[in-house]
Amino acid sequence: MKSPVSDLAPSDGEEGSDRTPLLQRSPQAETAPVCCSARYNLAFLSFFGFFVLYSLRVNLSVALVDMVDSNTTAKDNRTSYECAEHSAPIKVLHNQTGKKYQWDAETQGWILGSFFYGYIITQIPGGYVASKSGGKLLLGFGILGTAVFTLFTPLAADFGVGALVALRALEGLGEGVTFPAMHAMWSSWAPPLERSKLLSISYAGAQLGTVVSLPLSGIICYYMDWTYVFYFFGIVGIIWFILWICLVSDTPETHKTISPYEKEYILSSLKNQLSSQKSVPWIPMLKSLPLWSIVVAHFSYNWTFYTLLTLLPTYMKEVLRFNIQENGFLSAVPYLGCWLCMILSGQAADNLRARWNFSTLWVRRVFSLIGMIGPAVFLVAAGFIGCDYSLAVAFLTISTTLGGFCSSGFSINHLDIAPSYAGILLGITNTFATIPGMIGPIIARSLTPENTIGEWKTVFCIAAAINVFGAIFFTLFAKGEVQNWAVSDHRGHRN
């Protein structure tokens, strides 16, 4: 069955038709089995890698509450009394053996934000190194370094704020190479018609890591000691690294246990999409409008993502006035929805392309529109329902959940337009997309001095407007096929 929308991709001579070699079913391109396959083993191992990665990233935001002397933060209390108290106090013995520090709100902001100053530096270098040397060791040592530094967090805190800020920046340096390295690996491992499935599985670990680590860190702090948060997740990271090094290879050609049939399937599907040129075409790459459409979409999406990731617990506590136990659970629920949406949307996207013959460009556009405009609508709605606690939580959960569609939209479009340079492209887009993590929460806090519903409505509307702009820009200028500058013979995968 031919979809009426499959011909929407432009064929202007510059970009060619939006088709992959797999759509012209050759005998060699028949799908290799999924069960026990090397490519899906890579997907699940990278899933747990990103699970660990985000656990290491967000655990400090929970532990910091227990690290700071409550008397220091009392004067910074900004709880709004616009909404009525509705949570019954829960009396549970809280372990108080952890050391306390005299850090005010501004100091805590520097500690939490220092991660991004390291993270933004290694994005493009990480993509470049991965494209030249492979992503296995780069991703592995990136997560290992972050895990080891996490183990030293209690010691750095004892040395002082400066040491802790420096340590968090070093953790950011390690994490900064991971996403570009993973994209570079998938450029050699992911058949075009399985990209959405494989990458959505891989990166969904980040969302589940957030879901698990937020409440688990709270439980560890409450019943044990905040230092054990860093010891626990640091050791888990080291265990994952050992498995990664032993079981993963950079390419199908170097994998020790891959079946000959699966190897041939992957290599034949990518045969005409990869470039053999040794130098990176930086100038044509940076002039590419499809690349900048991903940059704009990535920046816009992350504005909302980082604002909510950083400030959603604050909104739950100081505006909707949920207690600490409810707050930890309710702040994690939206990311559980996003995780499920990422997995399901990845399956749906590849089915639309493989079984229903929808073009890659159409799928990337539609999934990005749903994943950006959908969250914008519910984010604005959350600002207009006042103190209706149930609706507020529901709308914020739906907003974050719908964002999962983007994992099969602009998030993997790098592999569509330039598989050979996907790691570098992700490094470029993620560099710009890290900026919202540095300035978005600061702007949001400056707009909510009294934590009123009206102030938060402004924050939500700004984030929604940025999301809508990014969705429209990507829809207008995105492409779904390998670009001329990304292949050495300037013919790409066209026949």
Side-chain angles (χ1 to χ4, degrees), residues 339-415:
W339 170 69
L340 290 171
C341 186
M342 288 178 70
I343 299 294
L344 296 176
S345 65
Q347 302 295 315
D350 280 345
N351 282 334
L352 286 172
R353 297 167 65 219
R355 296 187 181 181
W356 298 93
N357 207 23
F358 280 82
S359 70
T360 300
L361 178 60
W362 187 88
V363 171
R364 300 293 180 243
R365 282 173 170 171
V366 170
F367 278 62
S368 295
L369 284 170
I370 296 173
M372 297 182 76
I373 292 182
V377 170
F378 284 97
L379 200 57
V380 171
F384 278 89
I385 48 84
C387 293
D388 190 324
Y389 313 107
S390 300
L391 271 182
V393 172
F395 285 168
L396 289 171
T397 299
I398 294 172
S399 177
T400 306
T401 297
L402 289 175
F405 277 93
C406 287
S407 66
S408 298
F410 74 83
S411 291
I412 60 173
N413 194 223
H414 318 73
L415 283 159

Side-chain angles (χ1 to χ4, degrees), residues 70-244:
S70 58
N71 293 326
T72 306
T73 56
K75 62 182 179 181
D76 296 317
N77 180 29
R78 302 192 308 160
T79 301
S80 169
Y81 297 96
E82 193 172 357
C83 295
E85 180 69 60
H86 60 96
S87 297
I90 299 176
K91 296 181 179 179
V92 181
L93 291 177
H94 183 180
N95 189 300
Q96 301 286 351
T97 57
K99 189 173 181 180
K100 302 293 183 181
Y101 302 95
Q102 305 292 320
W103 296 335
D104 59 21
E106 183 180 356
T107 301
Q108 293 174 53
W110 277 105
I111 292 170
L112 291 173
S114 57
F115 169 88
F116 292 104
Y117 293 96
Y119 187 70
I120 198 172
I121 292 173
T122 50
Q123 295 290 328
I124 297 175
Y128 180 79
V129 171
S131 70
K132 295 295 183 181
S133 308
K136 172 187 172 179
L137 292 179
L138 193 63
L139 191 152
F141 281 105
I143 296 180
L144 176 66
T146 305
V148 171
F149 286 134
T150 297
L151 291 172
F152 286 100
T153 301
L155 183 62
D158 276 341
F159 274 108
V161 173
L164 185 56
V165 166
L167 186 76
R168 286 292 290 177
L170 289 173
E171 290 181 29
L173 287 173
E175 287 203 19
V177 304
T178 53
F179 281 94
M182 192 74 254
H183 250 48
M185 289 188 71
W186 282 125
S187 69
S188 299
W189 275 98
L193 291 183
E194 294 185 17
R195 279 176 185 156
S196 303
K197 295 177 185 176
L198 291 168
L199 272 78
S200 63
I201 292 171
S202 179
Y203 294 136
Q207 305 300 326
L208 192 62
T210 303
V211 170
V212 173
S213 63
L214 285 175
L216 182 58
S217 296
I219 291 171
I220 293 173
C221 286
Y222 212 84
Y223 293 102
M224 298 174 69
D225 183 323
W226 61 261
T227 58
Y228 290 99
V229 171
F230 304 107
Y231 298 147
F232 174 78
F233 288 110
I235 291 172
V236 169
I238 293 172
I239 293 172
W240 172 86
F241 171 77
I242 295 171
L243 295 174
W244 177 260

Side-chain angles (χ1 to χ4, degrees), residues 446-473:
S446 69
L447 292 172
T448 56
E450 304 298 328
N451 268 328
T452 65
I453 293 215
E455 292 171 346
W456 278 94
K457 186 189 302 180
T458 302
V459 171
F460 291 155
C461 287
I462 290 173
I466 293 173
N467 245 19
V468 170
F469 172 76
I472 294 173
F473 194 94

Side-chain angles (χ1 to χ4, degrees), residues 2-41:
K2 182 177 177 62
S3 167
V5 298
S6 62
D7 293 322
L8 287 179
S11 55
D12 53 10
E14 171 70 16
E15 312 298 351
S17 60
D18 182 18
R19 286 291 177 268
T20 64
L22 284 180
L23 294 179
Q24 289 135 15
R25 305 283 184 185
S26 67
Q28 291 179 323
E30 291 299 322
T31 304
V34 170
C35 182
C36 301
S37 63
R39 65 191 188 282
Y40 276 87
N41 287 343

